Amino acid sequence: MSCVGEQFGMEFSLEEIAGCRKAQGLLSMELELSRLCDLRCLYCYAASGKALENELSLDEIRFIIDEAIGLGVKKIIVLGGGEPLLYPHLMDVLEYLRGRNLVVDLFTNGQTLNRELADKLFALGVGVALKMNSRIPGVQDRLAGRKGAHEAIGRALENLQTAGYPDSDHLLAIETIICSQNIAELPGMWRWARQNGIVPYFESITMQGRAVEYRELEVGQEQLKKLFKELACIDREEFKRSWTPHPPLVGSHCARHEYSCTVTSTGEVHPCPGVDVSGGSIRHTSLADIVRTSRIFRDLRNIRDTIKGHCAICELGEVCYGCRGHAYQVTGDYLAEDPICWLKHPPSNS
């Protein structure tokens, strides 16, 4: 549900982010193509399945891409909203993006990612984040809401690796939602990904969309703290990588609200998938005006000044402000302190 950037830091430098804020522009944008999906993942933020009425046309998608470029965008993350491989004009969109020299990351569940498509993605230089929540067939299939999902993900991974992923110019990542069903196996998955040159993109679950129907997915604060610390130890001792454990992203920071936005498949502009509050529609207002004048974007662009609670005084405040999506979904206030963050409590020995 988030962009895959530099692990152990932000995907853009503090200087780039400061410049973007000053110019009231964008550095990246998350783009939904359709809510159509061939899985019914229990945790899906968008509760995807069927395409929505009045989804953006290909011309509208090209128009919003051009608007984003005018605001300084360097990277587009294609989310699909549902499953982007089912969108009939996917290659048109990807070719349009790459033709404008944008960095492109594609998030996919891999169910239909065959060898031919893997070769095309590699030739275009598109980074791929494969949604993989478990290496145990029964667990993966249950979380995906469809039998056989695990097997299809395995085929997709093999096709991507055969095509040449990963290398220095072709990112290959796995996107993994931390939930109660998979938390015990995540240290092993992290180690496996590292050993295979795959970026492990692990993030805390946000209880929204379909997830609200499955409260058993939720993971407690102490469980998260223990997992993050264990993964930090694995990286430090086995892979010579050091980072400070804190939610919501393992080994990375989220600062997207200072430089990014999400455009939904119907043209609504949200701060991110977790804060599913519209700042306006690109069908009625320019992207520039939405980013620069809507209240929610003003609040979050100035997050270091507007944030509340412990997040406002945290020692990591220069690079982290917690998960705004989690704060919003739990409290109804996207500026509230992150309810899942353990740093606001006195440290324990665990």
Side-chain angles (χ1 to χ4, degrees), residues 238-283:
E238 300 179 28
F239 301 100
K240 309 304 179 187
R241 301 170 182 260
S242 296
W243 44 273
T244 301
H246 63 85
L249 307 177
V250 179
S252 188
H253 306 295
C254 174
R256 74 182 69 180
H257 303 98
E258 297 183 282
Y259 60 80
S260 188
C261 69
T262 298
V263 178
T264 73
S265 63
T266 56
E268 300 300 316
V269 183
H270 297 174
C272 71
V275 183
D276 49 354
V277 178
S278 178
S281 169
I282 60 103
R283 284 173 164 156

Side-chain angles (χ1 to χ4, degrees), residues 8 27 43 65 127 143 209 234 238 245 261 263 294:
F8 318 110
L27 290 172
Y43 57 85
I65 290 168
L143 291 172
I234 289 172
E238 300 179 28
C261 69
V263 178
S294 67

Side-chain angles (χ1 to χ4, degrees), residues 16 53 86 169 175 199 215 240 246 305 318 334 338:
E16 287 177 303
E53 293 184 10
L86 299 182
D169 297 317
E175 183 199 21
V199 175
R215 305 303 302 191
K240 309 304 179 187
H246 63 85
D305 298 322
E318 183 178 358
Y334 51 77
D338 186 349

